[in-house]
Amino acid sequence: MIAEERKTLRERKALIAGLAAAMALLLVVAAQWVPFGFKTTGLAEEWGLITAAEKGRLVSPGYNPHRPLTPLPWSVGYLLSPNSFLGTNLVHALAFFGKALFLYLILTRLRIHRVVAFVAACLLVVYPSDAGLFTLRTTHIHISVFLYLVAAFLFLEFVRSRSWLAIFGSWLALAVGTAIYEVAFPLIFITPLLGLWQQRRWNRSLLKASALWLVVPVVAFARFLMLFFSGQAERAVSLSAGTGFDWESISSIASRIGVAYQRNIWSGWAETIEILDHGTDYFAISAAVALLVAGAAWYQLKLGASEIAEPDSTRDLLVVCGVGFAIIAIGFLPYLPTVVRNQIWRVYILPSIGAAAAFSSALYLMTRAFRPRRFRDAAFIALAA
């Protein structure tokens, strides 16, 4: 009876913490649009996609054969607000919120302290490594990354509960996400390692769950390779043209991996700070967001650790740092064989997930030496805000 009561209490705490985190993240996302509103318009291709939606073509298999659902986010935006980009702006903002929320849920499921998970989620909303975060030309990438995170969380739920609803949901999210944009393929194929992290042992049950997880990705990736090598995936073929196994190409690829880490660790932040408008209105918004994050983070601390684990595991935090830094390279991997690797917009949207998680864990580890604990927690929240 006592064990059941404790379990109920943990579940209640998890629900309260999740709802509090969701509300705070929603406000953080909304604050990103406060200075200019939902007025961003399309630059080039977006006008064609909105026109296609206006004519009733919600998807377009011929637009990019290997990305048949690419127009879907703009089509949904058009349905929300015909004859304007307001709906697409809302879809874009909701993708930010969804990515942050599911990163929080995944990290807490992996036994990471709620406050570390929450700060990582907040960082993901504002992480400045990619120069095209807010342009509507990247809406489909944000949606694809969001759907990957949804699928990864549902996989962890399937590993825990063996709910077929969870695995079917992950299949649907993967099928739609990879049909919109294929950037998550490398992460998708190693996602079963999250199941190992969650249950701390490898067994036959996890092997079956991993095999089920890979059903849709294997089919989707095989289809992509077939279209690529047959020349039907014209966009992918054209972007990879000129990249070979010569020394110049290999040197270029290696240097861009270095740039990816540079952008995610410090130069993205440095550039953003340099171009910030320090006017009174923007300062007030920034201060309000900082106070919101600090208050919400303190509330997560008060609720305690995740519903699964003990707080403050140095090993777990170090693992998050290591995995986060690895995700920077893995998330950038699909762009390396293409000329797009030389750009700084759209290519760091997925890597920023790893960077945000690593940054939050590193900050928490940096404050571990502070005593007493209350001072340590206050120092972490101040640094995070």
Side-chain angles (χ1 to χ4, degrees):
M1 180 67 73
I2 295 177
E4 290 180 0
E5 289 178 355
R6 288 179 177 175
K7 181 180 178 181
T8 301
L9 179 61
R10 286 199 304 270
E11 290 175 348
R12 189 178 302 162
K13 272 190 173 184
L15 178 61
I16 294 172
L19 290 173
M23 291 175 62
L25 289 170
L26 189 60
L27 291 173
V28 171
V29 170
Q32 308 309 304
W33 271 263
V34 166
F36 51 84
F38 294 93
K39 298 178 181 178
T40 303
T41 59
L43 299 176
E45 298 94 335
E46 300 94 318
W47 289 95
L49 291 165
I50 288 293
T51 300
E54 188 177 17
K55 295 178 180 179
R57 297 200 297 270
L58 300 185
V59 296
S60 181
Y63 179 74
N64 271 325
H66 61 298
R67 300 174 186 168
L69 297 184
T70 290
L72 186 59
W74 290 281
S75 299
V76 172
Y78 178 82
L79 292 175
L80 291 174
S81 176
N83 304 313
S84 81
F85 285 98
L86 173 61
T88 308
N89 274 272
L90 291 173
V91 171
H92 199 95
L94 287 173
F96 271 53
F97 170 70
K99 288 191 304 176
L101 178 60
F102 276 90
L103 177 61
Y104 169 85
L105 293 174
I106 288 170
L107 289 176
T108 54
R109 180 58 61 86
L110 295 175
R111 308 179 181 185
I112 304 305
H113 197 291
R114 288 193 187 102
V115 72
V116 177
F118 175 72
V119 169
C122 290
L123 282 172
L124 182 59
V125 173
V126 300
Y127 214 89
S129 56
D130 196 279
L133 285 179
F134 295 98
T135 173
L136 299 185
R137 298 182 82 175
T138 61
T139 301
H140 62 305
I141 305 177
H142 288 293
I143 290 294
S144 180
V145 172
F146 159 62
L147 289 172
Y148 163 70
L149 290 172
V150 171
F153 175 75
L154 290 174
F155 169 70
L156 292 176
E157 176 60 25
F158 178 70
V159 170
R160 185 183 70 87
S161 66
R162 293 299 183 270
S163 167
W164 282 97
L165 184 61
I167 198 65
F168 282 128
S170 72
W171 285 346
L172 177 61
L174 288 173
V176 176
T178 55
I180 291 174
Y181 201 72
E182 67 278 2
V183 69
F185 271 132
L187 273 181
I188 288 171
F189 285 112
I190 62 173
T191 295
L193 293 176
L194 293 180
L196 177 60
W197 186 351
Q198 176 179 253
Q199 68 177 32
R200 306 294 169 117
R201 67 183 185 277
W202 187 268
N203 54 28
R204 184 172 296 180
S205 177
L206 180 56
L207 184 63
K208 291 179 179 178
S210 301
L212 287 169
W213 160 265
L214 291 171
V215 168
V216 169
V218 166
V219 173
F221 191 62
R223 179 181 179 276
F224 170 77
L225 291 178
M226 181 186 69
L227 292 171
F228 180 84
F229 288 111
S230 67
Q232 295 179 61
E234 296 179 5
R235 178 66 175 166
V237 171
S238 65
L239 290 176
S240 61
T243 298
F245 292 99
D246 57 283
W247 174 251
E248 184 178 354
S249 295
I250 294 173
S251 177
S252 174
I253 288 173
S255 68
R256 297 316 296 183
I257 293 176
V259 171
Y261 279 100
Q262 176 186 312
R263 290 284 308 177
N264 280 278
I265 295 173
W266 66 273
S267 68
W269 289 102
E271 288 181 13
T272 301
I273 292 170
E274 186 178 349
I275 64 174
L276 279 177
D277 187 327
H278 299 286
T280 305
D281 292 342
Y282 293 97
F283 179 80
I285 293 170
S286 299
V289 171
L291 289 173
L292 169 66
V293 171
W298 189 260
Y299 186 68
Q300 295 288 319
L301 272 172
K302 289 297 182 183
L303 286 172
S306 74
E307 63 272 25
I308 296 176
E310 293 295 324
D312 304 340
S313 168
T314 299
R315 183 187 64 180
D316 285 342
L317 292 170
L318 288 172
V319 170
V320 173
C321 285
V323 171
F325 280 119
I327 288 174
I328 293 175
I330 297 169
F332 187 55
L333 185 62
Y335 299 104
L336 286 178
T338 76
V339 296
V340 177
R341 65 175 177 266
N342 298 313
Q343 298 180 358
I344 60 171
W345 75 276
R346 77 175 176 236
V347 298
Y348 300 127
I349 292 175
L350 182 56
S352 64
I353 293 174
F359 210 121
S360 179
S361 298
L363 281 177
Y364 197 74
L365 285 169
M366 285 170 56
T367 62
R368 291 294 297 274
F370 294 137
R371 294 290 185 274
R373 182 186 176 113
R374 182 173 298 180
F375 180 69
R376 179 186 72 192
D377 292 340
F380 172 70
I381 291 172
L383 285 172

